[in-house]
Amino acid sequence: MIDWNAMTDAEFRKKIRQFFEAEYPEELRHLPHRPKFAEIEQWHTKLHTKGWVAPAWPTECGGMGLNAAKLLIFYEEQQRWGVNRGRDMGVQMVGPLIIKFGTQKQKDYWLPRILSCEDIWCQGYSEPGAGSDLANLRTRADVDGDHFVINGQKIWTTMAHDATHIFMLVRTDPDAPKKQQGISFLLAPMDQPGVEVRTITTLSGETEFCEVFFDNARTPQENLVGELNKGWTMAKALLSFERIFIGSPSLAQNALGQLESFARGRGAFDDPVFRDRFAQAALDVEDHAALYARFADQLKRGETLGADVSMLKIWVTECFQRITELMIEAAGPDGGTIGPLQVGNVNVDALASFYKARPTTIYGGSNEIQRNILSKAVLGLPG
Amino acid sequence: MLSSDQEDLRLLRESARTLFERAGGSGRSRRLRDADGGWDADMIRELAEAGVFGVTVPEENGGLGMGLAAGGVIAEEVGRVIAPEPVVVTVGLSLGLLRRLCPDHAKMEQLTSGEISLAVAWQERGPGGAPADATCRYADGKLTGGKAWVIGAAGSHGFLVVAKGDNGPVLVLAEATADGLAIDKRAQADGSSMGELSFSGTPAEQMAEGPTVQDALAEAISDATALAAAELVGLSDRAFEITLDYIKTREQFDKPIGSFQVIQHRAVDLHVMREVAQAGVREVLTQMDCETDPKIRARLASRAKARAVTAAKKITRDAIQLHGAVGYTDEFDIGLYLNRALVLSAWLGDDAYHRRIWFDAREEEGAA
Ligand SMILES: Cc1cc2nc3c(=O)[nH]c(=O)nc-3n(C[C@H](O)[C@H](O)[C@H](O)COP(=O)(O)OP(=O)(O)OC[C@H]3O[C@@H](n4cnc5c(N)ncnc54)[C@H](O)[C@@H]3O)c2cc1C
């Protein structure tokens, strides 16, 4: 077993980079859509053979056991090369929860299946009436013998139409005094009569997310993770690493690179107004990277990150949006054209980038919610 | 050049902050402004004793031998209390020139010890009022012509003037009291004044000549630009703190105004602005300490100034709005910060100017 954490950062980065550059299929780089599992299965098998599917998990669970610093490097390299994250909700979200709160039996059963992608997971948190106010969720799970019976609806469930299982927050105590208190974390198979999935077409014309309806769907009681009615705090506990990851500069950096070659090809830099806006965006990305480095250093020193880290997400997602808006502008009369636009010998899909940037300020805690958090937890503002 | 480690910088920040706070913080700066915009001789002496002016001067020339990152730490503290003393002018420009061109000259020691301060005059104004090509001449030991936008002209003991000599560019020193020197002081928003100098056969001592003068000037301007950015970072930091305190205490509709979401979100945006500026500018200063190519150093300095001006403008102007009418009074300190930000932003190029310079430099590097 390799002790990755014992390597220097530079050595480690080189190893990861070499592997991605040598092994990742060219045609899958910087995919503009979320792939179905079949599309990336071969790549997944390669990663799995190497033992690299779950960089953050402890080695005894089949992961790489990376510390925070190495983990950041792994993701930086992944994004730099445009390596698709694959169907990673299992690895990123359920796995860590099971590792932290699950029974040994749950770990032995579920973890290997997540790594091999025998089970493919989707995240069932949001509901029509529970978006930013997630604790308002109403989908119920009631005990019936050794099963839970599930009724209700989830929505915006990414790739539910290509998933075998769903992990969900459900209401198990409707009478709890606070709405956060009656919520549990439950695993359920999708392939059963009581579960119906309807795809939702996004603005970009893709079918990325779905509605999932539960009509007396069943899941064994042993699929409850952690204690009954303690799901809310468990789900919250896992957010901390996610928060720096979602604020990493890569998306904006990649988009800026695309914008630059596109604008150059199209002669947009002849326009001083465009030049200034490009310079603004480019400096926004550079200075964000400096701030990101400050938080990354904190992680490397073994410190935990405070709520302050949310500012990375606010800045970088809004910057990402401005960059893709500039792409549309640089496209001129092609600004509404679907598909790759040829400039010199590169293709840039301006619309796809533009669409990709839109929801980044909505998911992962909308930017307004992040501002609420910063204003209270960091600035100490009242009310 | 040396790059100082984090612990050194922390200690330096602490001592600079204590020094300014003990002297009265921004209240002292207000008193000086009201007393006609001068400097405080005791403060200059104390700063000199703490090694502030010689922070980037090599130890063998009597300085602390630290890098620009350390200079930036001090500049941030100057900005926090909007101190009027010519710290960035001295560290970046006058000592920036002398330590590169004539490190053994007696004026070096006088500058680091705070005995004198020298302003630097290199730009000239064209007939339309905008910057124009330099024509000021130096021949037979005398200066003829004019210089514009000279910061610190009012309190300086003399002027380091970049002029045209018989054999190319020269750096000369004219005493403030020299014959044939007229100083037109233009009042600035922050109570300081900027000098427009005219020389008619003004005697001056030659300090250096040849192409090295232009090179040293370019380098000194890069340093001063980046340090001015750091000063703006400190200024923004404090202006935001003042505003945050205000919105926590001012009540309307029976609540602190900081409990209204629209105010909260604006405050968060200013906070993020400030943090990005601080991270960006500090990174630039550290990188400049490790970089020797003057073009890259100039590009980095432009990045810093562009960011710092963007943040300072936004923060000080929104700060006025968040204060309401008291923000529009002279009595409240927040206005002092707005005014100082105006002056520091205009000096050595504002954000739009530096984005242009930065972009062009990047293009040139890309093409090379
Ligand atoms: C591409 C995409 C993929 C997603 N994938 C998943 C998934 O796999 N699983 C899943 O469970 N969910 C998923 N989501 C849902 C996502 O978590 C929610 O969209 C998000 O929580 C916001 O909820 P909402 O869409 O209902 O918006 P709302 O909460 O209705 O918000 C609408 C607007 O009001 C603002 N707002 C709301 N409350 C406040 C407040 N207190 N103060 C100020 N402004 C406020 C919001 O910021 C937003 O601008 C996905 C969403 C997107 C866009």
Side-chain angles (χ1 to χ4, degrees):
Chain A
M1 181 89 35
I2 306 171
D3 182 2
W4 301 106
N5 296 329
M7 287 185 184
T8 66
D9 287 358
E11 266 178 301
F12 177 71
R13 190 183 290 281
K14 198 163 138 213
K15 273 244 156 18
I16 304 297
R17 182 172 295 188
Q18 276 171 348
F19 178 72
F20 286 156
E21 291 187 356
E23 302 290 338
Y24 189 71
E26 184 62 32
E27 67 278 10
L28 294 180
R29 287 186 63 199
H30 296 292
L31 272 188
H33 61 272
R34 276 180 208 264
K36 286 200 166 182
F37 181 63
E39 221 178 318
I40 47 158
E41 184 165 359
Q42 279 188 336
W43 166 243
H44 175 266
T45 309
K46 246 184 220 172
L47 267 185
H48 189 36
T49 315
K50 211 151 163 76
W52 285 15
V53 170
W57 293 12
T59 46
E60 64 273 19
C61 298
M64 292 171 81
L66 301 186
N67 63 26
K70 293 292 188 296
L71 196 55
L72 275 184
I73 293 174
F74 188 92
Y75 289 130
E76 278 163 16
E77 288 304 311
Q78 188 178 46
Q79 295 188 338
R80 190 192 72 95
W81 197 244
V83 175
N84 194 273
R85 288 164 52 183
R87 299 301 307 286
D88 67 351
M89 292 227 176
V91 167
Q92 300 293 354
M93 311 187 87
V94 211
L97 224 119
I98 293 175
I99 291 170
K100 195 156 178 183
F101 301 103
T103 61
Q104 194 56 44
K105 200 168 151 214
Q106 285 173 328
K107 289 183 202 174
D108 293 342
Y109 180 77
W110 294 110
L111 297 182
R113 298 167 66 96
I114 292 175
L115 291 174
S116 66
C117 272
E118 187 173 344
D119 298 336
I120 295 180
W121 289 89
C122 62
Q123 176 198 25
Y125 286 9
S126 305
E127 296 182 9
S132 299
D133 185 11
L134 185 58
N136 202 36
L137 61 90
R138 264 182 273 178
T139 296
R140 292 181 60 137
D142 299 292
V143 176
D144 177 22
D146 52 4
H147 276 68
F148 283 105
V149 179
I150 310 167
N151 282 289
Q153 180 194 351
K154 294 291 174 182
I155 196 169
W156 318 127
T157 326
T158 298
M159 299 305 278
H161 57 309
D162 188 44
T164 62
H165 290 73
I166 186 166
F167 59 95
M168 48 201 307
L169 290 174
V170 289
R171 189 154 303 282
T172 37
D173 179 6
D175 304 320
K178 278 186 71 184
K179 60 187 179 182
Q180 284 82 358
Q181 286 169 354
I183 294 173
S184 300
F185 190 89
L186 203 57
L187 314 176
M190 304 278 283
D191 184 16
Q192 56 167 311
V195 176
E196 190 194 328
V197 176
R198 286 187 212 150
T199 58
I200 302 172
T201 305
T202 66
L203 269 186
S204 64
E206 306 282 346
T207 42
E208 264 189 27
F209 47 30
C210 304
E211 290 175 286
V212 185
F213 297 90
F214 299 88
D215 180 12
N216 290 319
R218 299 178 74 81
T219 198
Q221 277 215 38
E222 65 204 34
N223 285 350
L224 171 77
V225 183
E227 273 178 66
L228 194 69
N229 298 328
K230 289 283 166 13
W232 184 256
T233 19
M234 283 162 43
K236 288 250 143 165
L238 277 167
L239 282 175
S240 71
F241 187 75
E242 162 107 330
R243 286 192 317 203
I244 183 164
F245 183 58
I246 203 167
S248 103
S250 332
L251 272 179
Q253 280 167 344
N254 287 333
L256 188 77
Q258 285 198 333
L259 172 64
E260 182 164 6
S261 44
F262 186 62
R264 209 172 287 290
R266 291 274 166 138
F269 286 136
D270 296 342
D271 172 6
V273 176
F274 185 87
R275 279 205 301 270
D276 186 52
R277 283 207 255 166
F278 175 84
Q280 250 172 56
L283 287 166
D284 283 349
V285 172
E286 281 202 16
D287 292 332
H288 170 270
L291 186 60
Y292 173 84
R294 193 179 92 189
F295 284 105
D297 284 346
Q298 238 176 297
L299 274 184
K300 286 179 197 170
R301 289 193 301 266
E303 296 167 21
T304 45
L305 300 178
D308 224 17
V309 70
S310 288
M311 70 179 135
L312 292 177
K313 192 235 175 190
I314 296 179
W315 185 273
V316 79
T317 52
E318 292 171 13
C319 182
F320 181 30
Q321 289 184 344
R322 286 194 297 276
I323 293 168
T324 62
E325 286 156 18
L326 283 174
M327 274 194 219
I328 299 287
E329 218 176 284
D334 290 325
T337 303
I338 293 174
L341 302 169
Q342 176 99 27
V343 261
N345 50 8
V346 286
N347 279 321
V348 171
D349 194 331
L351 260 191
S353 298
F354 171 80
Y355 287 132
K356 191 172 174 180
R358 297 334 290 176
T360 59
T361 50
I362 300 172
Y363 60 57
S366 79
N367 285 22
E368 288 76 23
I369 296 299
Q370 304 292 353
R371 285 182 169 87
N372 291 348
I373 294 171
L374 281 172
S375 78
K376 302 211 169 62
V378 178
L379 301 184
L381 289 170
Chain B
M1 192 187 279
L2 273 170
S3 175
S4 328
D5 76 24
Q6 290 304 317
E7 182 58 14
D8 289 344
L9 296 185
R10 199 184 57 76
L11 292 172
L12 186 65
R13 183 181 305 284
E14 251 174 38
S15 56
R17 185 165 300 185
T18 314
L19 194 157
F20 282 120
E21 288 307 330
R22 259 208 316 254
S26 58
R28 184 188 71 91
S29 308
R30 175 186 286 280
R31 281 195 303 279
L32 287 168
R33 183 202 68 160
D34 293 345
D36 84 350
W39 306 326
D40 173 352
D42 286 345
M43 183 48 127
I44 299 229
R45 193 176 34 74
E46 278 191 56
L47 289 169
E49 274 166 15
V52 161
F53 296 121
V55 60
T56 61
V57 171
E59 280 170 291
E60 63 267 28
N61 299 117
L64 293 184
M66 296 174 92
L68 268 192
V73 163
I74 295 166
E76 280 187 33
E77 295 306 315
V78 171
R80 279 181 62 87
V81 295
I82 45 171
E85 285 76 18
V87 172
V88 171
V89 165
T90 307
V91 174
L93 287 180
S94 49
L95 277 168
L97 278 172
L98 294 191
R99 76 183 155 91
R100 288 183 171 96
L101 290 170
C102 41
D104 298 321
H105 198 285
K107 294 289 176 205
M108 285 280 298
E109 207 274 315
Q110 291 179 298
L111 279 169
T112 49
S113 68
E115 196 179 311
I116 60 164
S117 47
L118 299 175
V120 176
W122 79 95
Q123 288 174 294
E124 292 179 28
R125 199 185 279 278
D133 287 344
T135 59
C136 180
R137 296 249 338 141
Y138 179 71
D140 305 325
K142 294 197 161 75
L143 277 169
T144 316
K147 290 284 166 188
W149 299 294
V150 182
I151 284 269
S156 293
H157 300 80
F159 299 94
L160 290 167
V161 183
V162 179
K164 284 187 169 172
D166 293 332
N167 308 311
V170 287
L171 180 74
V172 303
L173 173 64
E175 298 296 334
T177 53
D179 289 340
L181 166 58
I183 308 174
D184 172 13
K185 292 175 197 154
R186 310 219 165 154
Q188 300 293 298
D190 62 350
S192 70
S193 66
M194 197 155 66
E196 302 264 323
L197 313 184
S198 58
F199 308 104
S200 42
T202 310
E205 175 199 344
Q206 178 168 316
M207 312 283 282
E209 74 173 330
T212 52
V213 171
Q214 287 303 339
D215 295 346
L217 177 65
E219 284 275 30
I221 291 174
S222 294
D223 290 357
T225 302
L227 292 174
E231 189 172 344
L232 281 165
V233 163
L235 178 156
S236 303
D237 192 38
R238 184 68 195 130
F240 179 72
E241 283 174 12
I242 293 172
T243 308
L244 190 60
D245 281 346
Y246 187 77
I247 65 176
K248 282 179 185 171
T249 44
R250 166 72 177 165
E251 291 194 3
Q252 283 295 281
F253 304 97
D254 304 319
K255 299 181 198 152
I257 56 171
S259 64
F260 303 126
Q261 195 180 48
V262 69
I263 304 277
Q264 294 180 341
H265 286 199
R266 284 182 80 162
V268 168
D269 286 341
L270 301 185
H271 167 67
V272 178
M273 232 346 138
R274 149 179 97 149
E275 297 292 309
V276 168
Q278 188 191 77
V281 170
R282 286 182 185 174
E283 182 178 275
V284 161
L285 289 163
T286 309
Q287 288 177 358
M288 283 176 78
D289 278 334
C290 310
E291 180 59 62
T292 51
D293 183 336
K295 287 191 168 161
I296 297 180
R297 296 184 83 251
R299 194 228 321 126
L300 286 165
S302 284
R303 172 184 154 197
K305 188 87 192 302
R307 169 62 55 206
V309 172
T310 305
K313 274 181 176 175
K314 173 87 182 143
I315 289 171
T316 53
R317 293 168 194 187
D318 278 22
I320 301 299
Q321 176 66 18
L322 294 178
H323 275 77
V326 296
Y328 194 60
T329 63
D330 182 65
E331 190 187 330
F332 261 65
D333 272 0
I334 195 64
L336 298 180
Y337 285 80
L338 173 91
N339 284 333
R340 183 92 184 112
L342 279 166
V343 174
L344 274 176
S345 297
W347 184 48
L348 298 173
D350 68 2
D351 46 347
Y353 170 85
H354 279 291
R355 281 197 299 272
R356 204 157 58 235
I357 301 291
W358 180 85
F359 182 86
D360 292 346
R362 188 173 177 274
E363 289 290 281
E364 202 181 299
E365 279 169 42

PDB file of all heavy atoms in Angstrom, chain B residues 208-226:
ATOM      1  N   ALA B 208      23.060  60.593 -10.445  1.00  0.00           N
ATOM      2  CA  ALA B 208      23.330  59.452 -11.332  1.00  0.00           C
ATOM      3  C   ALA B 208      22.981  59.865 -12.739  1.00  0.00           C
ATOM      4  O   ALA B 208      22.195  60.798 -12.943  1.00  0.00           O
ATOM      5  CB  ALA B 208      22.485  58.245 -10.931  1.00  0.00           C
ATOM      6  N   GLU B 209      23.602  59.176 -13.715  1.00  0.00           N
ATOM      7  CA  GLU B 209      23.213  59.472 -15.094  1.00  0.00           C
ATOM      8  C   GLU B 209      23.270  58.222 -15.950  1.00  0.00           C
ATOM      9  O   GLU B 209      23.821  57.200 -15.561  1.00  0.00           O
ATOM     10  CB  GLU B 209      24.115  60.565 -15.697  1.00  0.00           C
ATOM     11  CG  GLU B 209      25.499  60.094 -16.056  1.00  0.00           C
ATOM     12  CD  GLU B 209      26.303  61.175 -16.805  1.00  0.00           C
ATOM     13  OE1 GLU B 209      25.675  61.991 -17.512  1.00  0.00           O
ATOM     14  OE2 GLU B 209      27.529  61.180 -16.680  1.00  0.00           O
ATOM     15  N   GLY B 210      22.646  58.306 -17.123  1.00  0.00           N
ATOM     16  CA  GLY B 210      22.658  57.189 -18.066  1.00  0.00           C
ATOM     17  C   GLY B 210      21.382  56.374 -18.005  1.00  0.00           C
ATOM     18  O   GLY B 210      20.474  56.693 -17.232  1.00  0.00           O
ATOM     19  N   PRO B 211      21.324  55.324 -18.827  1.00  0.00           N
ATOM     20  CA  PRO B 211      20.106  54.513 -18.939  1.00  0.00           C
ATOM     21  C   PRO B 211      19.699  53.864 -17.615  1.00  0.00           C
ATOM     22  O   PRO B 211      18.517  53.552 -17.420  1.00  0.00           O
ATOM     23  CB  PRO B 211      20.469  53.433 -19.953  1.00  0.00           C
ATOM     24  CG  PRO B 211      21.795  53.780 -20.530  1.00  0.00           C
ATOM     25  CD  PRO B 211      22.406  54.871 -19.725  1.00  0.00           C
ATOM     26  N   THR B 212      20.671  53.680 -16.704  1.00  0.00           N
ATOM     27  CA  THR B 212      20.317  53.060 -15.426  1.00  0.00           C
ATOM     28  C   THR B 212      19.297  53.912 -14.674  1.00  0.00           C
ATOM     29  O   THR B 212      18.560  53.404 -13.847  1.00  0.00           O
ATOM     30  CB  THR B 212      21.557  52.888 -14.521  1.00  0.00           C
ATOM     31  OG1 THR B 212      22.211  54.160 -14.426  1.00  0.00           O
ATOM     32  CG2 THR B 212      22.507  51.858 -15.075  1.00  0.00           C
ATOM     33  N   VAL B 213      19.286  55.218 -14.968  1.00  0.00           N
ATOM     34  CA  VAL B 213      18.330  56.094 -14.283  1.00  0.00           C
ATOM     35  C   VAL B 213      16.899  55.688 -14.656  1.00  0.00           C
ATOM     36  O   VAL B 213      16.036  55.537 -13.783  1.00  0.00           O
ATOM     37  CB  VAL B 213      18.590  57.579 -14.635  1.00  0.00           C
ATOM     38  CG1 VAL B 213      17.460  58.460 -14.109  1.00  0.00           C
ATOM     39  CG2 VAL B 213      19.925  58.026 -14.059  1.00  0.00           C
ATOM     40  N   GLN B 214      16.673  55.519 -15.953  1.00  0.00           N
ATOM     41  CA  GLN B 214      15.335  55.113 -16.389  1.00  0.00           C
ATOM     42  C   GLN B 214      14.960  53.741 -15.817  1.00  0.00           C
ATOM     43  O   GLN B 214      13.838  53.514 -15.388  1.00  0.00           O
ATOM     44  CB  GLN B 214      15.242  55.069 -17.926  1.00  0.00           C
ATOM     45  CG  GLN B 214      15.212  56.432 -18.594  1.00  0.00           C
ATOM     46  CD  GLN B 214      14.056  57.305 -18.095  1.00  0.00           C
ATOM     47  OE1 GLN B 214      13.069  56.809 -17.560  1.00  0.00           O
ATOM     48  NE2 GLN B 214      14.182  58.615 -18.262  1.00  0.00           N
ATOM     49  N   ASP B 215      15.932  52.818 -15.837  1.00  0.00           N
ATOM     50  CA  ASP B 215      15.654  51.472 -15.309  1.00  0.00           C
ATOM     51  C   ASP B 215      15.295  51.534 -13.828  1.00  0.00           C
ATOM     52  O   ASP B 215      14.333  50.900 -13.380  1.00  0.00           O
ATOM     53  CB  ASP B 215      16.886  50.566 -15.488  1.00  0.00           C
ATOM     54  CG  ASP B 215      17.196  50.334 -16.966  1.00  0.00           C
ATOM     55  OD1 ASP B 215      16.322  50.639 -17.807  1.00  0.00           O
ATOM     56  OD2 ASP B 215      18.322  49.880 -17.272  1.00  0.00           O
ATOM     57  N   ALA B 216      16.100  52.299 -13.081  1.00  0.00           N
ATOM     58  CA  ALA B 216      15.844  52.385 -11.643  1.00  0.00           C
ATOM     59  C   ALA B 216      14.505  53.068 -11.374  1.00  0.00           C
ATOM     60  O   ALA B 216      13.766  52.688 -10.463  1.00  0.00           O
ATOM     61  CB  ALA B 216      16.968  53.153 -10.956  1.00  0.00           C
ATOM     62  N   LEU B 217      14.193  54.066 -12.204  1.00  0.00           N
ATOM     63  CA  LEU B 217      12.913  54.760 -12.026  1.00  0.00           C
ATOM     64  C   LEU B 217      11.755  53.789 -12.251  1.00  0.00           C
ATOM     65  O   LEU B 217      10.810  53.725 -11.459  1.00  0.00           O
ATOM     66  CB  LEU B 217      12.813  55.946 -13.000  1.00  0.00           C
ATOM     67  CG  LEU B 217      11.492  56.702 -12.960  1.00  0.00           C
ATOM     68  CD1 LEU B 217      11.295  57.384 -11.610  1.00  0.00           C
ATOM     69  CD2 LEU B 217      11.419  57.749 -14.087  1.00  0.00           C
ATOM     70  N   ALA B 218      11.849  53.000 -13.332  1.00  0.00           N
ATOM     71  CA  ALA B 218      10.780  52.041 -13.624  1.00  0.00           C
ATOM     72  C   ALA B 218      10.615  51.067 -12.465  1.00  0.00           C
ATOM     73  O   ALA B 218       9.493  50.761 -12.034  1.00  0.00           O
ATOM     74  CB  ALA B 218      11.089  51.296 -14.916  1.00  0.00           C
ATOM     75  N   GLU B 219      11.739  50.596 -11.923  1.00  0.00           N
ATOM     76  CA  GLU B 219      11.668  49.649 -10.809  1.00  0.00           C
ATOM     77  C   GLU B 219      11.080  50.298  -9.560  1.00  0.00           C
ATOM     78  O   GLU B 219      10.277  49.706  -8.847  1.00  0.00           O
ATOM     79  CB  GLU B 219      13.076  49.136 -10.483  1.00  0.00           C
ATOM     80  CG  GLU B 219      13.596  48.110 -11.472  1.00  0.00           C
ATOM     81  CD  GLU B 219      13.139  46.695 -11.122  1.00  0.00           C
ATOM     82  OE1 GLU B 219      12.047  46.558 -10.547  1.00  0.00           O
ATOM     83  OE2 GLU B 219      13.889  45.761 -11.415  1.00  0.00           O
ATOM     84  N   ALA B 220      11.499  51.537  -9.301  1.00  0.00           N
ATOM     85  CA  ALA B 220      10.998  52.233  -8.116  1.00  0.00           C
ATOM     86  C   ALA B 220       9.496  52.489  -8.251  1.00  0.00           C
ATOM     87  O   ALA B 220       8.751  52.390  -7.275  1.00  0.00           O
ATOM     88  CB  ALA B 220      11.754  53.545  -7.917  1.00  0.00           C
ATOM     89  N   ILE B 221       9.065  52.781  -9.468  1.00  0.00           N
ATOM     90  CA  ILE B 221       7.629  53.000  -9.671  1.00  0.00           C
ATOM     91  C   ILE B 221       6.858  51.699  -9.444  1.00  0.00           C
ATOM     92  O   ILE B 221       5.789  51.689  -8.827  1.00  0.00           O
ATOM     93  CB  ILE B 221       7.355  53.593 -11.070  1.00  0.00           C
ATOM     94  CG1 ILE B 221       7.900  55.027 -11.132  1.00  0.00           C
ATOM     95  CG2 ILE B 221       5.859  53.583 -11.385  1.00  0.00           C
ATOM     96  CD1 ILE B 221       7.825  55.670 -12.498  1.00  0.00           C
ATOM     97  N   SER B 222       7.409  50.588  -9.925  1.00  0.00           N
ATOM     98  CA  SER B 222       6.750  49.294  -9.658  1.00  0.00           C
ATOM     99  C   SER B 222       6.620  49.063  -8.158  1.00  0.00           C
ATOM    100  O   SER B 222       5.553  48.677  -7.662  1.00  0.00           O
ATOM    101  CB  SER B 222       7.548  48.133 -10.267  1.00  0.00           C
ATOM    102  OG  SER B 222       7.542  48.205 -11.664  1.00  0.00           O
ATOM    103  N   ASP B 223       7.720  49.294  -7.439  1.00  0.00           N
ATOM    104  CA  ASP B 223       7.676  49.090  -5.990  1.00  0.00           C
ATOM    105  C   ASP B 223       6.622  49.989  -5.337  1.00  0.00           C
ATOM    106  O   ASP B 223       5.809  49.542  -4.531  1.00  0.00           O
ATOM    107  CB  ASP B 223       9.032  49.436  -5.350  1.00  0.00           C
ATOM    108  CG  ASP B 223      10.114  48.419  -5.704  1.00  0.00           C
ATOM    109  OD1 ASP B 223       9.786  47.431  -6.382  1.00  0.00           O
ATOM    110  OD2 ASP B 223      11.277  48.640  -5.300  1.00  0.00           O
ATOM    111  N   ALA B 224       6.665  51.268  -5.705  1.00  0.00           N
ATOM    112  CA  ALA B 224       5.751  52.214  -5.074  1.00  0.00           C
ATOM    113  C   ALA B 224       4.303  51.890  -5.426  1.00  0.00           C
ATOM    114  O   ALA B 224       3.398  52.031  -4.595  1.00  0.00           O
ATOM    115  CB  ALA B 224       6.097  53.637  -5.508  1.00  0.00           C
ATOM    116  N   THR B 225       4.084  51.437  -6.659  1.00  0.00           N
ATOM    117  CA  THR B 225       2.733  51.080  -7.083  1.00  0.00           C
ATOM    118  C   THR B 225       2.190  49.931  -6.233  1.00  0.00           C
ATOM    119  O   THR B 225       1.058  49.968  -5.737  1.00  0.00           O
ATOM    120  CB  THR B 225       2.737  50.681  -8.575  1.00  0.00           C
ATOM    121  OG1 THR B 225       3.251  51.782  -9.331  1.00  0.00           O
ATOM    122  CG2 THR B 225       1.348  50.336  -9.059  1.00  0.00           C
ATOM    123  N   ALA B 226       3.026  48.915  -6.044  1.00  0.00           N
ATOM    124  CA  ALA B 226       2.592  47.761  -5.258  1.00  0.00           C
ATOM    125  C   ALA B 226       2.404  48.148  -3.787  1.00  0.00           C
ATOM    126  O   ALA B 226       1.484  47.664  -3.118  1.00  0.00           O
ATOM    127  CB  ALA B 226       3.595  46.630  -5.394  1.00  0.00           C
TER     128      ALA B 226
END
